[in-house]
Amino acid sequence: VATQKWCTGRVGMFGISWGGFSSLQVAARRPPALKAIITHCSTDDRYLDDAHYIGGCIVQDMWGWGSDFFTIQGAPPDPATLGVRWRDVWMDRLKHNEFRILDWVRHQTRDAFWKHGSIDEDYGDIVCPVYAIGGWTDAYNCAVPRMLAGLKVPRKGLIGAWSHNYPSEVHPGPGIDYLTEALRWWDHWLKDHDTGIMAEPMYRVWMEDKAACCGADEIPGRWVAEEAWPSSRITPQKHYLVGTEIAAAPGAETQRVLAPRQTVGMAAGHWCPFNMPTELPLDQAIDDGRSLTFDSGPLAADLELLGPPVATLDLAVDRPVAFLALRLNEVQPDGHSTRVSYAVLNLTHRASHEHPEALEPGKRYRIRVQMRDVAHSFKAGNRLRLAISTTYWPLIWPSPEPVRLTLFAGHSELELPVRPPRPEDASLRPLGTPYVPPDSGQTQIGEAKPQSKDFSWDVATGTLTIVSERPLSARRINAVDTILSGAFKETSRITDDDPLSATLEYRQSHGYARDDDWDTRVETVVRIGATKETFLVRGELTAFDHGKQVFTRSWNEAIPRQFV
């Protein structure tokens, strides 16, 4: 691009998700023409904080995204572009297709496979300015403050209420006039125009008055900012877990024991909701009742947090492999419990994500767990709740055996990042209302049915089944007269007393057709199960031409579990 006659030789790069990763990774290679990037909904650490593993646990979205990626890999070439060879090329592509989920499952620790794409291995590799943008409902928001703290180049961070999308096309809202904000960045770094963007605070976030929950269309709150990040204005406020309370001072030691329940987590929602209201968290009271919980008294005044809450727990478990799930919730006087932040940790990764070590059953450990960053204002009259469990299904895959947890209350701690008021927030530059250029490029074919999510409980067996489905829908891309169709169904199932009963199944269909006699479809099925020693991963891809099956291939592998 830099060598084109129409280019000044100064190039900018931006993208969301995969494109955001690429922007960071290309920047780390230091091409001389790259003068600035904007990275959206991406991560600096491909192991710790991506759609594969979180806290050393396998995250549900690894299987879902893997299923989606698997289906995309089978897409046919377009005969309008490739000509008569398209079908031969398609068959060759299908024959050599790889089931990439297997790669991800084979690398269960933070090894070279993940380090390669992680810019936090050396933030100094990036020398161009970086604008990192995310949303509190998205899964990748924690990378924004990490990059602000780690990078040494000119940088800015912005986190809104939204999920995995650009800030002008958001759910939940509110959105912003992102195109104008991006133009200010590009004009400054590519054209030397003084737009004032670098004179504004480094870190700007949407301070939520209420955390996102299932069905939310808009998150109430306001924009706030910090001149630098980390901010010297943030004050760590230490609390103690005493008895069943969140207290201001340590107290007498007591032991609280939690029996294993594999279905804790049904209210978690998805790791990355992808702008789907049904994938947001539910009322946490569903899970709180089967977790260890510690509550504060009713707050005398609003309490505003910005940053990661941290729990330091004295605990013991009865198995060599055990997981921990923490949730910081806001509880209203009527009992409604909303998740504000959370974390999961594979306790065998307590010292290292690269070199896990088995636990000694019955041994007492002091474990520090940093939860996800938040910008949240707890309201006067409400309570804080810390909920603790050893399972979080289906958001994370369960441990090989049921785990009984003993928590030693009295000196276990909860540290909150308290943010004092900042009068300058009232005069922040408005970010405008969302603007999206009119879209006449697509035509919906038939009725677009909404996504659904259904829970069922088999009382006789104690089995929970969750079915999340996006029914078949189709749209015409008008400019090329091409019809794209798709359907998705995810089914998770587990029995409350047996982690080895866990199964996930994904069924997807992608269609590509045109009225001039091109009609193709790719269908995939991905199934996951496990024994105590292995993951059982199966995949099947089938291709159709005019409704007739023209290709099928299947995979069936057992992959050893490595402390997970």
Side-chain angles (χ1 to χ4, degrees):
V1 172
T3 63
Q4 301 302 309
K5 293 181 179 179
W6 42 260
C7 183
T8 64
R10 303 166 76 176
V11 177
M13 188 173 178
F14 78 99
I16 187 168
S17 196
W18 194 309
F21 304 150
S22 298
S23 299
L24 288 170
Q25 293 171 22
V26 170
R29 302 302 293 270
R30 301 187 183 186
L34 186 62
K35 302 304 180 183
I37 67 170
I38 304 178
T39 178
H40 296 262
C41 302
S42 67
T43 185
D44 55 343
D45 194 314
R46 297 300 308 274
Y47 178 80
L48 182 66
D49 197 18
D50 196 1
H52 307 287
Y53 298 86
I54 55 172
C57 304
I58 292 182
V59 68
Q60 175 187 17
D61 292 53
M62 179 164 89
W63 315 111
W65 162 233
S67 167
D68 202 26
F69 187 48
F70 185 39
T71 314
I72 293 168
Q73 285 178 265
D78 189 338
T81 301
L82 198 63
V84 296
R85 294 189 306 114
W86 76 270
R87 202 171 186 279
D88 291 338
V89 172
W90 187 27
M91 291 300 106
D92 187 65
R93 175 184 299 173
L94 292 168
K95 185 170 68 172
H96 293 94
N97 195 10
E98 294 294 337
F99 191 31
R100 292 298 176 190
I101 289 177
L102 299 176
D103 287 343
W104 304 338
V105 182
R106 291 187 184 109
H107 295 273
Q108 296 169 27
T109 61
R110 195 178 187 278
D111 58 13
F113 181 84
W114 303 110
K115 291 179 182 180
H116 173 71
S118 299
I119 62 120
D120 64 352
E121 285 290 295
D122 186 353
Y123 286 116
D125 285 341
I126 293 182
V127 296
C128 72
V130 175
Y131 199 163
I133 298 177
W136 290 125
T137 315
D138 181 48
Y140 292 105
N141 46 56
C142 297
V144 174
R146 283 201 306 267
M147 287 190 283
L148 293 181
L151 292 167
K152 303 305 179 187
V153 296
R155 59 205 182 275
K156 289 183 69 70
L158 174 70
I159 302 181
W162 49 80
S163 183
H164 202 70
N165 213 335
Y166 286 110
S168 53
E169 305 174 64
V170 299
H171 190 283
I176 66 169
D177 179 10
Y178 161 67
L179 296 180
T180 296
E181 181 72 1
L183 185 61
R184 294 176 71 223
W185 175 261
W186 299 128
D187 280 351
H188 180 95
W189 291 110
L190 302 185
K191 295 184 178 181
D192 294 327
H193 293 175
D194 184 7
T195 64
I197 193 167
M198 296 310 294
E200 296 168 2
M202 176 189 290
Y203 190 30
R204 185 163 174 173
V205 302
W206 185 252
M207 178 62 65
E208 298 178 335
D209 287 333
K210 183 178 180 181
C213 57
C214 190
D217 292 319
E218 194 93 354
I219 305 300
R222 71 191 195 282
W223 288 106
V224 304
E226 295 295 327
E227 294 294 338
W229 194 261
S231 172
S232 60
R233 300 178 65 257
I234 305 300
T235 304
Q237 187 181 92
K238 187 172 289 189
H239 301 264
Y240 296 87
L241 308 182
V242 180
T244 61
E245 298 178 355
I246 297 175
E253 182 173 291
T254 57
Q255 295 185 22
R256 296 189 61 190
V257 178
L258 180 66
R261 293 288 182 270
Q262 303 305 316
T263 55
V264 176
M266 67 171 72
H270 277 62
W271 174 76
C272 190
F274 275 97
N275 304 292
M276 297 293 180
T278 58
E279 295 180 354
L280 294 172
L282 305 174
D283 183 349
Q284 298 297 294
I286 300 170
D287 291 329
D288 291 351
R290 293 171 301 142
S291 305
L292 294 181
T293 59
F294 297 85
D295 286 10
S296 72
L299 296 175
D302 291 357
L303 177 65
E304 191 166 293
L305 307 185
L306 178 59
V310 177
T312 304
L313 306 177
D314 291 320
L315 57 83
V317 293
D318 65 345
R319 294 290 184 266
V321 177
F323 304 158
L324 201 62
L326 307 182
R327 290 172 281 118
L328 179 63
N329 300 337
E330 182 170 14
V331 184
Q332 299 174 6
D334 65 2
H336 189 279
S337 180
T338 304
R339 193 184 73 191
V340 174
S341 182
Y342 77 98
V344 298
L345 177 64
N346 181 338
L347 291 174
T348 70
H349 288 231
R350 61 196 178 278
S352 169
H353 289 297
E354 190 172 357
H355 304 291
E357 296 177 324
L359 296 149
E360 183 180 327
K363 180 179 177 179
R364 182 165 171 166
Y365 295 92
R366 189 164 176 85
I367 303 293
R368 182 183 185 275
V369 184
Q370 179 171 307
M371 303 172 75
R372 297 184 63 82
D373 282 68
V374 298
H376 186 82
S377 178
F378 287 85
K379 296 306 172 188
N382 291 347
R383 299 173 185 266
L384 281 71
R385 172 175 292 165
L386 183 67
I388 303 171
S389 63
T390 57
T391 58
Y392 210 38
W393 173 265
L395 195 142
I396 63 169
W397 193 267
S399 54
E401 298 177 281
V403 173
R404 182 175 294 270
L405 170 70
T406 301
L407 183 75
F408 301 93
H411 289 270
S412 291
E413 300 171 0
L414 174 64
E415 187 176 281
L416 302 176
V418 176
R419 180 184 188 268
R422 181 178 180 269
E424 295 88 344
D425 290 342
S427 58
L428 288 171
R429 178 186 176 276
L431 290 171
T433 55
Y435 171 74
V436 181
D439 179 11
S440 60
Q442 301 182 19
T443 302
Q444 182 69 37
I445 299 175
E447 181 184 2
K449 297 180 180 179
Q451 182 184 21
S452 64
K453 190 171 188 177
D454 296 310
F455 297 75
S456 65
W457 181 266
D458 186 323
V459 177
T461 63
T463 299
L464 171 68
T465 302
I466 306 174
V467 179
S468 184
E469 187 169 10
R470 291 195 294 270
L472 180 67
S473 65
R475 55 199 168 97
R476 184 185 301 274
I477 308 301
N478 298 332
V480 290
D481 194 29
T482 301
I483 298 171
L484 303 181
S485 60
F488 171 88
K489 184 177 182 180
E490 172 193 74
T491 303
S492 69
R493 187 172 286 111
I494 198 167
T495 301
D496 214 12
D497 61 356
D498 183 11
L500 300 183
S501 67
T503 62
L504 282 168
E505 180 185 86
Y506 295 87
R507 291 182 174 272
Q508 293 218 47
S509 171
H510 288 185
Y512 311 84
R514 206 162 25 237
D515 293 338
D516 63 357
D517 204 34
W518 183 48
D519 184 2
T520 59
R521 187 172 82 255
V522 178
E523 293 183 354
T524 60
V525 182
V526 174
R527 296 185 179 93
I528 303 95
T531 68
K532 185 178 176 181
E533 293 81 21
T534 60
F535 288 108
L536 308 173
V537 186
R538 290 182 290 169
E540 183 178 304
L541 185 149
T542 307
F544 299 85
D545 187 356
H546 286 82
K548 179 182 177 182
Q549 179 178 310
V550 293
F551 180 89
T552 188
R553 185 181 174 191
S554 61
W555 292 257
N556 187 354
E557 290 207 26
I559 300 173
R561 300 176 73 155
Q562 303 166 29
F563 297 106
V564 68

